[in-house]
């Protein structure tokens, strides 16, 4: 059941906000009417809604009460708003407010609706090339870094693409096209439980891929959409705040953070913009191949073996690591790294210039964060040279001033 619905135990003090289809939310007077569930995560549910004042379709991210306290995501998104003349690279924030439920006070972020990158890649006949798509993602990270924001770890679930014609999705047309969602009624096993602390039912998330296929059947073959960086709950301003607890999946987590966590089992580590570059490289590999660079599953364990895999890919082992692992640093050489990357060769039938992509990733996946390229330098890498693709937006300014 939890594969299709959020865990009902998440509704309680400090937990998720009980929401029903048809609810009106917003500041006085309420203006956002919930139409369908888009998804959920560990700390929030996301809904498709209609702004009945602005007559447009939006997405509502409703954060659990415990995580709403001290959340900086709204401020971060506000800092990353694109100028009117520039195509956005990051999810655009329209509004932010709080709602109160028996479970506490919940932050609500009103944003543009997007579909996840993984869903877009499943659409047949898409016009945007994979390399052009990857360039957009890198450009988005460079934009964030130019604004002094570290993402806190890119992964496939943090990338989306803008929906086509979102304001045409009226509620009536929506439900006529896809039908009502499957729902599971909720009843409290404890008779003393406040029934207002959980919704009367939990509903299945809208299959956005199927909806787009039906609503805009030529979406993948028309002018390519723009990628958006999403889910900035772990992002932070590097110039004025310490990094929040690490929320990046282990297989995308940079080695400096993993090593610190192995030493003191801390929840956070020395994350900065250079750390983003490591997780970005892992993301680019997954976009290109559909597989994880360092193997295993998303539930992989935090242990010494994983740290050794990262050292093998880089071809180096810092002295502090060697002491912690009780091994010789000389075991990890560039020849060992060559073997690692040979095992992960990418065919040109899979991605444009697979060898060029691997060479770029090797330059990004360096153990020492100070030796990694910046996001701007990644954009100027030979792999992206001469990219003439309709999916690419405005060319990058040499001084990267168009976002300043």
């Amino acid at each position: 059941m939890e594969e299709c619905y959020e865990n009902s135990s998440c509704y309680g003090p400090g937990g998720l906000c009980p929401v029903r289809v048809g609810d009106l939310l917003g500041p006085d007077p309420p203006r956002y009417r919930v139409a369908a569930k888009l998804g959920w995560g560990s700390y929030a549910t996301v809904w498709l809604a209609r702004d009945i004042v602005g007559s447009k379709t939006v997405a509502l991210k409703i954060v659990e009460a415990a995580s709403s306290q001290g959340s900086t995501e709204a401020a971060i998104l506000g800092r990353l708003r694109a100028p009117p003349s520039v195509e956005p690279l990051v999810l655009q924030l329209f509004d932010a407010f709080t709602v109160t439920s028996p479970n506490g006070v919940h932050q609500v972020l009103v944003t543009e609706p997007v579909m996840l990158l993984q869903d877009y890649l499943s659409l047949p006949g898409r016009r945007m090339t994979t390399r052009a798509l990857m360039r957009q993602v890198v450009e988005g990270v460079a934009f964030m870094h130019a604004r002094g924001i570290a993402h806190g770890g890119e992964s496939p679930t943090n990338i989306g693409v803008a929906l086509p014609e979102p304001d045409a999705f009226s509620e009536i047309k929506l439900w006529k096209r896809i039908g009502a969602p499957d729902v599971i009624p909720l009843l409290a096993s404890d008779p003393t439980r406040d029934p207002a602390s959980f919704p009367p039912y939990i509903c299945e998330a809208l299959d956005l891929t199927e909806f787009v296929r039906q609503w805009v059947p030529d979406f993948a073959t028309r002018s390519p959409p723009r990628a958006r960086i999403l889910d900035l709950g772990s992002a932070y301003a590097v110039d004025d705040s310490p990094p929040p607890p690490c929320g990046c999946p282990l297989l995308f987590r940079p080695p400096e953070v993993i090593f610190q966590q192995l030493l003191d089992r801390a929840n956070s580590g020395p994350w900065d913009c250079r750390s983003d570059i490591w997780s970005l490289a892992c993301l680019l590999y997954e976009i290109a191949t559909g597989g994880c660079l360092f193997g295993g599953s998303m539930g992989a364990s935090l242990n010494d073996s994983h740290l050794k895999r990262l050292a093998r890919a880089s071809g180096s082992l810092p002295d502090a690591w060697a002491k912690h692992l009780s091994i010789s640093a000389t075991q990890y050489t560039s020849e060992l790294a060559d073997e690692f990357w040979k095992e992960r060769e990418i065919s040109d039938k899979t991605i444009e210039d697979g060898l060029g992509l691997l060479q770029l990733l090797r330059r990004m996946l360096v153990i020492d964060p100070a030796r990694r390229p910046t996001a701007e330098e990644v954009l100027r890498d030979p792999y992206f040279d001469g990219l003439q693709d309709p999916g690419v937006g405005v060319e990058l300014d040499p001084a990267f001033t168009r976002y300043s």
Side-chain angles (χ1 to χ4, degrees), residues 290-362:
C292 288
L293 180 61
F294 295 106
S297 64
M298 296 303 284
S301 301
L302 179 68
N303 53 40
D304 292 351
S305 296
H306 185 65
L307 205 59
K308 292 175 183 178
R309 281 195 292 272
L310 307 189
R312 183 182 173 219
S314 179
S316 63
L317 188 74
D319 291 339
W321 289 27
K323 182 178 180 181
H324 171 76
L325 299 171
S326 299
I327 58 177
S328 171
T330 58
Q331 295 181 30
Y332 290 84
T333 63
S334 58
E335 289 77 13
L336 191 64
D338 290 340
E339 294 177 7
F340 175 91
W341 290 102
K342 186 173 180 57
E343 295 168 0
R344 288 155 180 80
E345 285 183 352
I346 303 176
S347 168
D348 287 345
K349 295 180 180 179
T350 303
I351 178 70
E352 311 95 303
D353 187 11
L355 177 60
L357 175 60
L358 286 185
Q359 290 173 340
L360 169 60
L361 299 183
R362 289 191 69 167

Side-chain angles (χ1 to χ4, degrees), residues 11-339:
Y11 292 99
L16 296 175
C17 180
V19 179
R20 300 172 299 177
V21 172
D23 280 351
L24 268 172
L25 304 175
D28 193 24
R31 60 185 289 178
Y32 305 107
R33 187 163 54 210
V34 175
K37 182 188 291 179
L38 289 177
W40 67 92
S42 302
Y43 309 107
T45 53
V46 183
W47 303 81
L48 194 69
R50 187 71 177 172
D51 178 356
I52 59 178
V53 174
S55 298
K56 63 181 181 179
T57 301
V58 297
L60 305 180
K61 180 178 180 179
I62 307 177
V63 184
E64 67 170 8
S67 298
S68 295
Q69 300 177 16
S71 172
T72 61
E73 188 168 7
I76 293 292
L77 285 171
R79 188 165 168 171
L80 294 173
R81 280 196 182 97
S85 60
V86 176
E87 179 70 29
L89 300 166
V90 176
L91 185 72
Q92 294 298 285
L93 180 71
F94 298 145
D95 195 3
F97 56 92
T98 60
V99 296
T100 302
S101 81
N103 300 330
V105 178
H106 308 267
Q107 182 183 63
V108 182
L109 304 177
V110 183
T111 69
E112 59 179 329
V114 298
M115 69 185 304
L116 290 180
L117 175 63
Q118 295 163 310
D119 296 332
Y120 173 73
L121 292 176
S122 71
L123 295 174
R126 59 184 173 86
R127 186 179 171 200
M128 183 189 294
T129 67
T130 303
R131 185 165 60 153
L133 181 60
M134 291 192 293
R135 188 187 190 281
Q136 287 189 16
V137 173
V138 177
E139 192 176 0
V141 175
F143 166 50
M144 292 183 63
H145 291 178
R147 289 286 176 92
I149 304 295
H151 186 276
E154 295 83 14
S155 70
T157 57
N158 291 340
I159 307 297
V161 297
L163 277 180
E165 305 169 16
D167 295 342
F169 300 165
S170 73
E171 295 142 292
I172 297 298
K173 291 180 180 178
L174 177 77
W175 293 116
K176 280 186 176 180
R177 185 62 60 95
I178 65 174
D182 289 334
V183 300
I184 294 181
L186 289 186
L187 297 173
S189 56
D190 178 0
T192 65
R193 175 82 179 269
D194 180 1
S197 67
F198 57 91
Y201 56 82
I202 50 176
C203 60
E204 190 175 27
L206 171 69
D207 185 342
L208 202 53
T209 306
E210 182 59 29
F211 176 61
V212 169
R213 280 192 181 124
Q214 293 186 36
W215 188 266
V216 193
D218 65 339
F219 174 47
T221 57
R222 60 165 61 178
S223 297
R226 288 293 297 181
R228 299 284 196 271
I229 296 181
L230 328 168
D231 195 4
L232 302 184
S234 295
Y236 76 103
V238 295
D239 55 353
D240 59 13
S241 60
C246 178
C248 181
L250 176 62
L251 295 179
F252 294 82
R253 202 172 301 170
E256 62 272 19
V257 175
I258 292 176
F259 182 65
Q260 190 64 38
Q261 290 176 318
L262 285 172
L263 286 182
D264 57 20
R265 297 294 171 181
N267 219 1
S268 61
W271 197 296
D272 58 18
C273 290
R274 297 284 181 160
S275 305
D276 279 347
I277 299 301
W278 182 284
S279 60
L280 176 60
C282 297
L283 171 62
L284 296 182
Y285 182 87
E286 179 146 336
I287 292 175
T289 68
C292 288
L293 180 61
F294 295 106
S297 64
M298 296 303 284
S301 301
L302 179 68
N303 53 40
D304 292 351
S305 296
H306 185 65
L307 205 59
K308 292 175 183 178
R309 281 195 292 272
L310 307 189
R312 183 182 173 219
S314 179
S316 63
L317 188 74
D319 291 339
W321 289 27
K323 182 178 180 181
H324 171 76
L325 299 171
S326 299
I327 58 177
S328 171
T330 58
Q331 295 181 30
Y332 290 84
T333 63
S334 58
E335 289 77 13
L336 191 64
D338 290 340
E339 294 177 7

